[in-house]
Amino acid sequence: MDTTPTTTAGAPARVHAHYDNVKKLGHWTTDRRFEVRARRGMVVLDLRSPRIPDGDIDIELDLDHSMVKLLVPQDARIDHWDLRHTGRGRVKDWTGENGGGRTIRVTGEVRHGEIRIHRGGVATLSAMFSREFVQDVRRARREGGTPTVADPAYED
């Protein structure tokens, strides 16, 4: 699990997956702006951490034959109006709920790819079925703490 912030002040956090799977889970950032580039890869971004300051979150995508999974709070609003699609692909938000929570604005271009939105309990399960969760549980046991990958809102 990569827990180090990936940006400097003012610049967006950058996530790059070139023929790779990249998972950013738990308390991995305090940014509200992200740039994601993926080519034939998969990116998982956990945006449930209370360490992310209040306000809208902006995600600029450049996907080519790739998938991005966003783990968001249950009441998050997803705005993908300015997202351009080329070829097959779509935004999969099975519950489709747009509650009164923070707005997550997704922009950019998707070429033959998709964005999956996992909310609430489904987001927790997505995080739990990962190697990063197992590593976090082992770390928490060694240090006598509590794992935070499954639910970043829960802190010691």
Side-chain angles (χ1 to χ4, degrees):
M1 175 179 68
D2 185 9
T3 58
T4 57
T6 57
T7 187
T8 58
R14 292 183 170 178
V15 180
H16 185 243
H18 185 75
Y19 290 90
D20 197 10
N21 295 333
V22 176
K23 294 182 181 181
K24 301 291 189 172
L25 300 171
H27 300 301
W28 68 279
T29 188
T30 57
D31 291 317
R32 291 190 339 217
R33 293 179 40 224
F34 303 94
E35 287 182 1
V36 178
R37 290 187 183 167
R39 180 169 182 202
R40 297 194 185 270
M42 181 188 77
V43 175
V44 178
L45 297 181
D46 191 347
L47 303 174
R48 301 172 297 152
S49 176
R51 295 182 185 175
I52 299 174
D54 290 337
D56 294 352
I57 294 177
D58 294 313
I59 303 172
E60 174 74 27
L61 297 177
D62 182 8
L63 303 182
D64 183 24
H65 292 84
S66 299
M67 188 268 293
V68 170
K69 184 186 299 183
L70 302 177
L71 307 182
V72 302
Q74 186 67 38
D75 63 347
R77 286 177 292 191
I78 307 298
D79 176 8
H80 56 89
W81 181 258
D82 293 325
L83 187 64
R84 295 177 310 279
H85 291 276
T86 304
R88 297 185 73 165
R90 65 181 187 173
V91 176
K92 291 184 178 180
D93 189 358
W94 290 6
T95 60
E97 297 176 7
N98 278 323
R102 88 170 37 189
T103 299
I104 299 172
R105 192 171 302 104
V106 182
T107 60
E109 185 174 4
V110 178
R111 294 174 302 281
H112 301 282
E114 70 181 27
I115 295 100
R116 296 179 186 171
I117 311 298
H118 286 193
R119 300 172 182 270
V122 175
T124 300
L125 289 173
S126 292
M128 288 177 71
F129 293 121
S130 67
R131 288 184 179 154
E132 291 79 7
F133 176 71
V134 173
Q135 292 170 351
D136 188 39
V137 168
R138 289 180 179 157
R139 178 209 48 86
R141 180 165 172 85
R142 254 191 333 269
E143 297 173 2
T146 305
T148 58
V149 166
D151 185 7
Y154 185 81
E155 297 202 42
D156 292 334

